[in-house]
C-alpha cells in the first residue's frame, strides 16, 4: 500500500509548477485529476489538501444516503467521507468499502471533507476554452458536473468531469468539518477531549458547604436522595447519622471532615453519594451533584505546604473549564480514621441481609432522562453522558433527526436528536448527550437533560418483558427499540417503559442489522400471553 501523498506545491514537479505559474491568469485553472469508478473527476488544485488511506472502520452517518460513508479522525480532525462513485451513480453498491481505498481531503470555504477515490492521476492546467459545457438528464447531475475536458494519461485521452463543490455541499446529507484554522469557532474544549489519553481518569464533582469536591469514579457506587436522616447513635465528628437505603440503613458522613477540610459539619444536604472506601460502603452527604468529568492527573496541582488545609486528604486542585476549581480526594488517604470505617461496616453489613435464602440477586441500573417526556434506558447501554457541546459539524439532513457529527475521545460521534425521532416538540436546545458505543462507532442522543440513575436490587430472574415494541417489517427504528418490562417481586415490583438506545443506534445505521437490547433481552423472560 503506498504511503499517503500530499497534493501540495512541494509534491509537484518543478517543471509543472513553472508551467502552472505561467498559465495562472484568469483564463486558466489548475485541477487535480482523480479516478473514481472507471471515470475521472477534477477539482481545483487549491481545494485539494492531501490524499490518505481510507480507514476500514468509519463512524457511520445515521439516516444518511448510501454515498455518505461516515467519518474518521485524522490528526485530531474529524473528516466526513463522501463516496463520489455512488453519488454520481457510477457505482450502485451499498456495502462497506474495501481496504486500500483512498480518500482525497478537500478544503472548501473553511471546511474539510473527504472524497473516496480509486486513484490520483495528476495535476492539469486547463485553459477556459478547453472546458466543454455539459447537459445531463437531471438537474442535480448538471449542477454537480457542469463541464468536462480531455486529459491525456499514459498516452490515452480521457474525459474528465469538473466537480462543482458548491453544488456538492448543497445536497442533503453532505456535511463538512471545520478546518484547523477555525477550530476555535467549534469549541477547543471538544477537540481537547479527543486528545485525552486512552487511560481515562474520571471523577464525580459534588458540592458540600459550598466546597467543590471531586470523588474518583472508582469510589462512587450510586447517588440517592437524602430525604430522611436519623440522628447518630454515637457522637463522632463527621458522622451525621443514618439514612434508609432500600431495606436497610446507610451510615452518612460529612465528606469535608473525612477529608480533613473542616472540623464541624452541620449543614443540611439533599443528596447521598454512596461510595466504597477500603472495601466499606458509606454515604457522603452532598448539597449538589454537578457532573462526572474526565481529568488529566498531570494537571492536578498539589496543595502548597503553607495551605490552610495542608494535611487534608486531597490529591490537589483541578480546574474544569465549566465547573471551575475542585479538590480531588486522595482515595488512598481518605477517611482513614478507624471509627469511621467501623461505623460504616456495622451498617453496610445489613445491606447483605434480607434476601431470600438461596435466591440470586443482581443490581439493575437505569438512567432516567427527559426528551420532552420522561424516558428510561439501562445504564449498561450508555458509554457516557456529556453536556451538549457548543460546536459540532452540522448535518444538512437535520430534519430527519441526524444533527451532525462531534469529535470526541478519538471517535467521531454521530449526533441524533432523540426528541425529533420521538415526534415530540424540540424547540429548546438540548443540554445533555447520551453516548452509545456500537462496535467501532459511537452515536450520541441529544436530550433535554439527564435526571438521575435508579438502582434496583432484585432477583436476577425477575425481569420480564411485557411488550417488545413493534417488530413488523418497515417499522421505524424508534418503535422497534421500545420495551415494557417488570422488575422485582412483591411490593418491590416495578413496571418500566424502556428505550433501548443501543438497538436504536444499530438500526439507524443499518435497518437490517441484527440487534438486541443489552441487559433487557439477555436477562429477561417474555411474559406469556
Amino acid at each position: 500500500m503506498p504511503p499517503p501523498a500530499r497534493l501540495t506545491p512541494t509534491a509537484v514537479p518543478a517543471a509543472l509548477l513553472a508551467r502552472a505559474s505561467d498559465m495562472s491568469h484568469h483564463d486558466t485553472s489548475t485541477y487535480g485529476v482523480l479516478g473514481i469508478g472507471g471515470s475521472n473527476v477534477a477539482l481545483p488544485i487549491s481545494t485539494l489538501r492531501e490524499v490518505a488511506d481510507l480507514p476500514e472502520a468509519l463512524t457511520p452517518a445515521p439516516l444518511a444516503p448510501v454515498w455518505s460513508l461516515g467519518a474518521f479522525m485524522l490528526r485530531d480532525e474529524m473528516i466526513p467521507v463522501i463516496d463520489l462513485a455512488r453519488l454520481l451513480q457510477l457505482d450502485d453498491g451499498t456495502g462497506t468499502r474495501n481496504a486500500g481505498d483512498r480518500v482525497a481531503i478537500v478544503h472548501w470555504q473553511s471546511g474539510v471533507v473527504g472524497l473516496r477515490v480509486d486513484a490520483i492521476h495528476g495535476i492539469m492546467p486547463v485553459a477556459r476554452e478547453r472546458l466543454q459545457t455539459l447537459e445531463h438528464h437531471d438537474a442535480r447531475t448538471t449542477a454537480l458536473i457542469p463541464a468536462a475536458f480531455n486529459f491525456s494519461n499514459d498516452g490515452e485521452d480521457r474525459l474528465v468531469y469538473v466537480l462543482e463543490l458548491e453544488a456538492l455541499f448543497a445536497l442533503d446529507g453532505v456535511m463538512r468539518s471545520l478546518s484547523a484554522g477555525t477550530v476555535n469557532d467549534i469549541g477547543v474544549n471538544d477537540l481537547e477531549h479527543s486528545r485525552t489519553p486512552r487511560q481515562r481518569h474520571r471523577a464525580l464533582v459534588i458540592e458540600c458547604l459550598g466546597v467543590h469536591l471531586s470523588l474518583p469514579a472508582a469510589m462512587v457506587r450510586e447517588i440517592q436522595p437524602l430525604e430522611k436522616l436519623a440522628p447518630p447513635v454515637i457522637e463522632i465528628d463527621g458522622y451525621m447519622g443514618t439514612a434508609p437505603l432500600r431495606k436497610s440503613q446507610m451510615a452518612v458522613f460529612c465528606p469535608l471532615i473525612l477529608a480533613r477540610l473542616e472540623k464541624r459539619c452541620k449543614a443540611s444536604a439533599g443528596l447521598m453519594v454512596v461510595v466504597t472506601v477500603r472495601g466499606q460502603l458509606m454515604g457522603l452527604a452532598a448539597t449538589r451533584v454537578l457532573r462526572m468529568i474526565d481529568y488529566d492527573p498531570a494537571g492536578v496541582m498539589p496543595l502548597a505546604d503553607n495551605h490552610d488545609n495542608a494535611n487534608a486528604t486531597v490529591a490537589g486542585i483541578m480546574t474544569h473549564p465549566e465547573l471551575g476549581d475542585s479538590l480531588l480526594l486522595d482515595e488512598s488517604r481518605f477517611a482513614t480514621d478507624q471509627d469511621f470505617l467501623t461505623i460504616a461496616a456495622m451498617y453496610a453489613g445489613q445491606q447483605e441481609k434480607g434476601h431470600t435464602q438461596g435466591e440470586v440477586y443482581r443490581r439493575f441500573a437505569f438512567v432516567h432522562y427527559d426528551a420532552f417526556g420522561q424516558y428510561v434506558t439501562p445504564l449498561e447501554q450508555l458509554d457516557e453522558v456529556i453536556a451538549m457541546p457548543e460546536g459540532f459539524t452540522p448535518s444538512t439532513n437535520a430534519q430527519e433527526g441526524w444533527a451532525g457529527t462531534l469529535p470526541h475521545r478519538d471517535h467521531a460521534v454521530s449526533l441524533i436528536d432523540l426528541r425529533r425521532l420521538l415526534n415530540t416538540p424540540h424547540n429548546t436546545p438540548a443540554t445533555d448527550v447520551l453516548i452509545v458505543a456500537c462496535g467501532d462507532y459511537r452515536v450520541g442522543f441529544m436530550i433535554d437533560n439527564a435526571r438521575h440513575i435508579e438502582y434496583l436490587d432484585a432477583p436476577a430472574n425477575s425481569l420480564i418483558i411485557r411488550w417488545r415494541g413493534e417488530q413488523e417489517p418497515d417499522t421505524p427504528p424508534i418503535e422497534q427499540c421500545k420495551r415494557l418490562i417488570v422488575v422485582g417481586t412483591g411490593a418491590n415490583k416495578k413496571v418500566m417503559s424502556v428505550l433501548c438506545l443501543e438497538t436504536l443506534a444499530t438500526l439507524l445505521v443499518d435497518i437490517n442489522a441484527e440487534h438486541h437490547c443489552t441487559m433487557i433481552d439477555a436477562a429477561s423472560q417474555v411474559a406469556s400471553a
Side-chain angles (χ1 to χ4, degrees):
M1 181 179 299
R6 298 182 65 88
L7 285 177
T8 61
T10 57
V12 181
L16 184 55
L17 277 177
R19 183 181 175 191
S21 176
D22 293 339
M23 301 181 66
S24 59
H25 50 81
H26 65 279
D27 289 331
T28 301
S29 300
T30 306
Y31 294 94
V33 181
L34 314 174
I36 58 165
S39 297
N40 303 283
V41 297
L43 293 171
I45 189 62
S46 59
T47 66
L48 287 172
R49 197 181 78 180
E50 64 180 291
V51 177
D53 294 327
L54 181 66
E56 294 184 43
L58 298 174
T59 296
L63 307 171
V66 67
W67 44 260
S68 181
L69 298 182
F72 71 101
M73 300 299 297
L74 178 66
R75 296 188 296 275
D76 295 329
E77 186 177 21
M78 188 191 66
I79 308 295
V81 181
I82 294 171
D83 191 322
L84 277 182
R86 292 177 181 174
L87 173 64
L88 300 176
Q89 300 178 358
L90 301 173
D91 182 351
D92 58 2
T94 59
T96 58
R97 284 302 185 184
N98 297 325
D101 284 352
R102 314 300 299 282
V103 57
I105 311 300
V106 176
H107 181 275
W108 187 78
Q109 291 191 355
S110 300
V112 178
V113 69
L115 304 178
R116 192 210 71 82
V117 298
D118 297 320
I120 311 299
H121 292 313
I123 297 174
M124 182 69 181
V126 180
R128 178 180 297 178
E129 59 268 19
R130 291 184 56 193
L131 293 176
Q132 307 169 34
T133 302
L134 301 178
E135 292 291 339
H136 301 274
H137 65 281
D138 64 281
R140 190 191 77 163
T141 305
T142 299
L144 282 172
I145 44 178
F149 62 88
N150 288 317
F151 173 70
S152 179
N153 185 44
D154 296 330
E156 179 184 353
D157 286 338
R158 300 185 180 186
L159 187 64
V160 179
Y161 299 96
V162 177
L163 185 65
E164 176 55 59
L165 290 178
E166 186 170 353
L168 174 66
F169 285 101
L171 296 175
D172 287 341
V174 174
M175 63 178 182
R176 66 183 187 276
S177 174
L178 293 182
S179 62
T182 57
V183 68
N184 290 331
D185 296 336
I186 64 171
V188 173
N189 294 328
D190 296 325
L191 290 182
E192 286 301 321
H193 283 311
S194 70
R195 301 185 183 104
T196 302
R198 292 191 179 277
Q199 182 181 359
R200 295 173 61 183
H201 298 271
R202 311 193 76 195
L204 179 70
V205 183
I206 67 172
E207 181 182 316
C208 183
L209 278 179
V211 178
H212 285 188
L213 298 175
S214 291
L215 312 179
M219 295 175 57
V220 180
R221 181 162 179 178
E222 61 182 288
I223 302 169
Q224 292 290 345
L226 187 57
E227 299 173 349
K228 183 178 180 182
L229 186 64
V233 296
I234 184 173
E235 290 295 330
I236 296 178
D237 288 339
Y239 175 40
M240 301 177 65
T242 58
L245 181 64
R246 291 177 280 276
K247 293 183 179 181
S248 57
Q249 297 290 312
M250 174 67 64
V252 181
F253 300 87
C254 174
L256 298 181
I257 293 182
L258 269 61
R260 301 177 190 167
L261 293 167
E262 295 286 347
K263 294 183 178 180
R264 295 288 184 271
C265 186
K266 299 296 184 182
S268 60
L271 295 170
M272 174 177 65
V273 181
V274 180
V275 298
T276 303
V277 179
R278 278 175 289 286
Q280 300 296 343
L281 284 177
M282 62 174 64
L284 301 181
T287 309
R288 290 193 301 158
V289 173
L290 302 180
R291 189 189 304 173
M292 184 73 77
I293 65 172
D294 288 85
Y295 68 94
D296 183 357
V300 178
M301 182 174 63
L303 298 181
D305 293 339
N306 60 353
H307 192 277
D308 292 340
N309 302 106
N311 294 323
T313 59
V314 299
I317 301 173
M318 62 184 191
T319 301
H320 187 273
E322 298 176 21
L323 305 181
D325 292 342
S326 62
L327 296 171
L328 176 65
L329 295 184
D330 186 338
E331 186 178 359
S332 64
R333 297 189 295 133
F334 181 70
T336 53
D337 192 307
Q338 190 59 44
D339 289 341
F340 298 144
L341 298 177
T342 300
I343 294 173
M346 179 175 65
Y347 287 99
Q350 300 177 10
Q351 299 289 324
E352 306 302 325
K353 300 178 182 179
H355 295 337
T356 303
Q357 185 68 28
E359 196 168 34
V360 178
Y361 272 63
R362 66 162 291 181
R363 169 162 293 184
F364 297 92
F366 299 91
V367 177
H368 292 251
Y369 53 92
D370 295 322
F372 205 84
Q374 296 183 6
Y375 298 91
V376 177
T377 292
L379 178 62
E380 294 178 28
Q381 296 190 14
L382 302 181
D383 190 52
E384 63 180 306
V385 180
I386 64 172
M388 182 66 196
E390 294 182 1
F392 57 91
T393 301
S395 165
T396 58
N397 201 30
Q399 68 273 12
E400 299 295 335
W402 177 35
T405 307
L406 166 73
H408 186 69
R409 304 191 202 290
D410 297 327
H411 288 282
V413 179
S414 296
L415 290 176
I416 301 293
D417 193 331
L418 185 60
R419 302 164 302 175
R420 188 179 291 273
L421 294 186
L422 290 165
N423 291 318
T424 57
H426 45 273
N427 296 326
T428 58
T431 60
D432 291 317
V433 178
L434 308 178
I435 297 182
V436 177
C438 298
D440 293 328
Y441 61 91
R442 303 289 185 272
V443 175
F445 292 97
M446 300 159 52
I447 60 173
D448 290 324
N449 66 282
R451 298 172 61 201
H452 66 278
I453 300 174
E454 180 181 18
Y455 296 90
L456 301 174
D457 287 330
N461 62 355
S462 67
L463 193 153
I464 300 175
I465 297 179
R466 293 293 188 187
W467 180 63
R468 199 181 285 274
E470 299 293 340
Q471 302 297 323
E472 297 298 322
D474 300 325
T475 300
I478 189 65
E479 299 300 328
Q480 296 188 47
C481 76
K482 296 178 179 179
R483 303 287 188 274
L484 182 65
I485 67 170
V486 177
V487 184
T489 58
N492 297 316
K493 181 182 295 185
K494 293 201 67 172
V495 179
M496 307 179 77
S497 180
V498 172
L499 277 181
C500 293
L501 294 185
E502 184 180 59
T503 298
L504 180 57
T506 301
L507 293 177
L508 287 176
V509 173
D510 183 358
I511 191 63
N512 297 314
E514 295 184 4
H515 59 273
H516 71 284
C517 185
T518 296
M519 193 190 81
I520 302 298
D521 292 347
S524 65
Q525 312 166 45
V526 178
S528 57

